[in-house]
């Protein structure tokens, strides 16, 4: 048994560990010195369960592993929200949308959104900070804004302990209330991601082209009708 070995017989130790993920493979680390009673393992994933065990190695053989010890690594900064987009909805409203980070590196948390107004001098004035505690929500609307004004918005994800690096986007409200109707189906979009689909322009194209096509078709039909009627009136009647 390994318990009956002397220090002279022990040549090294082998640490085996594996994460709780089903897809992970077991990793081993050889500690060459028999005098070492501790070892620091690096490169682990944050907030992840691991199982560790140790085996004693002599010149002859590797003895059975120790009983497994299970522990979890600490939390770390979560990754930032993805595909952050700002929509200019009107002269008074901006709408932000985003996607959940790929890793929370801790308990699943929420988001912190900060709104700042860009002033003429180039500086910024903080207006509001919103905490979104429900991680399933992926949009927020800022209302009661000033027309024709530029704003800067920051969003960070948090897991209750740490915060991600902020994602910053800028957008401007429309100039007048009259422009709100034109933007009803075509909000201006500001995005940090190039992998998205923009349906706003398509909707405007459909709304504009359909009436034009209808008027064009109506004009052709009307012209053919009046020409046919004129020809019938110009044709002399033949008495039988």
């Amino acid at each position: 048994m390994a318990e009956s070995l002397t220090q002279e017989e022990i040549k090294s130790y082998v640490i085996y560990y594996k994460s709780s993920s089903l897809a992970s493979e077991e990793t081993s680390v050889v500690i060459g010195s028999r005098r070492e009673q501790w070892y620091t393992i690096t490169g682990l994933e944050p907030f992840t369960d691991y199982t560790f065990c140790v085996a004693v190695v002599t010149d002859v053989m590797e003895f059975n592993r120790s009983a497994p010890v299970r522990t979890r690594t600490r939390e770390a900064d979560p990754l930032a929200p993805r595909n952050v987009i700002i929509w200019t909805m009107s002269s008074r409203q901006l709408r932000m949308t985003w996607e959940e980070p790929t890793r929370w590196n801790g308990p699943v948390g929420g988001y912190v959104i900060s709104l700042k107004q860009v002033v003429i001098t180039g500086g910024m004035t903080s207006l509001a900070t919103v905490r979104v505690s429900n991680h399933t929500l992926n949009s927020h609307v800022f209302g009661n804004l000033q027309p024709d004004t530029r704003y800067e918005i920051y969003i960070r994800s948090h897991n209750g302990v740490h915060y991600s690096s902020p994602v910053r986007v800028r957008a401007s409200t429309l100039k007048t209330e009259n422009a709100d109707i034109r933007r009803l189906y075509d909000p201006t979009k500001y995005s940090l991601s190039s992998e998205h689909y923009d349906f706003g322009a398509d909707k405007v194209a459909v709304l504009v082209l359909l009436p034009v096509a209808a008027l064009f078709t109506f004009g052709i039909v009307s012209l053919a009708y009046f020409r046919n009627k004129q020809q019938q009136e110009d044709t002399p009647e033949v008495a039988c």
Side-chain angles (χ1 to χ4, degrees):
M1 297 294 291
E3 292 80 357
S4 61
L5 295 175
T6 64
Q7 286 294 325
E8 287 71 21
E9 292 176 309
I10 298 175
K11 299 302 180 182
S12 62
Y13 300 96
V14 181
I15 301 176
Y16 295 92
Y17 64 94
K18 183 179 183 298
S19 74
S20 57
S21 173
L22 296 177
S24 68
E25 297 181 356
E26 186 178 65
T27 304
S28 63
V29 177
V30 178
I31 304 176
S33 175
R34 64 189 180 191
R35 298 183 182 276
E36 294 289 348
Q37 299 296 316
W38 60 273
Y39 187 82
T40 301
I41 298 177
T42 60
L44 304 180
E45 294 290 340
F47 202 66
T48 302
D49 293 327
Y50 284 89
T51 301
F52 298 86
C53 59
V54 180
V56 176
V57 180
T58 67
D59 288 334
V60 180
M61 61 179 295
E62 176 181 310
F63 284 82
N64 293 335
R65 302 179 185 184
S66 65
V69 176
R70 294 177 177 83
T71 187
R72 173 179 292 180
T73 52
R74 294 181 178 178
E75 301 88 347
D77 293 347
L79 299 184
R82 299 174 295 129
N83 298 330
V84 179
I85 301 174
I86 287 293
W87 305 80
T88 297
M89 305 303 293
S90 68
S91 61
R92 297 284 183 176
Q93 286 187 337
L94 294 174
R95 180 172 179 259
M96 168 181 273
T97 61
W98 63 88
E99 293 181 12
E100 190 172 339
T102 54
R103 281 190 64 90
W104 287 96
N105 291 333
V108 176
Y111 309 93
V112 176
I113 309 173
S114 300
L115 174 69
K116 297 182 179 181
Q117 179 179 336
V118 181
V119 297
I120 299 177
T121 59
M124 287 181 291
T125 302
S126 297
L127 298 180
T129 298
V130 179
R131 299 185 69 90
V132 181
S133 58
N134 188 348
H135 73 95
T136 61
L137 295 179
N138 62 352
S139 67
H140 182 77
V141 176
F142 287 97
N144 298 322
L145 304 179
Q146 296 299 318
D148 194 23
T149 303
R150 194 169 191 181
Y151 294 91
E152 191 165 283
I153 304 177
Y154 299 80
I155 181 172
R156 296 182 295 170
S157 54
H158 73 89
N159 55 24
V161 181
H162 299 278
Y163 292 84
S164 72
S165 56
V167 178
R168 184 191 71 174
V169 288
R170 284 190 172 188
S172 299
T173 51
L174 300 179
K175 292 184 177 181
T176 63
E177 296 289 345
N178 294 332
D180 294 352
I181 298 178
R182 294 198 300 271
R183 288 295 185 185
L184 182 60
Y185 294 101
D186 183 30
T188 302
K189 179 167 62 174
Y190 303 85
S191 173
L192 294 182
S193 172
S194 60
E195 298 179 356
H196 60 262
Y197 298 93
D198 188 352
F199 296 105
D202 296 341
K203 291 181 180 179
V204 172
V206 171
L207 290 174
V208 173
L209 292 179
L210 282 179
V212 172
L215 290 175
F216 181 74
T217 305
F218 177 75
I220 293 177
V221 173
S222 300
L223 181 61
Y225 171 78
F226 285 113
R227 283 185 176 179
N228 183 53
K229 185 176 181 180
Q230 185 66 33
Q231 290 177 357
Q232 291 178 356
E233 293 178 352
D234 294 342
T235 302
E237 296 183 357
V238 179
C240 296

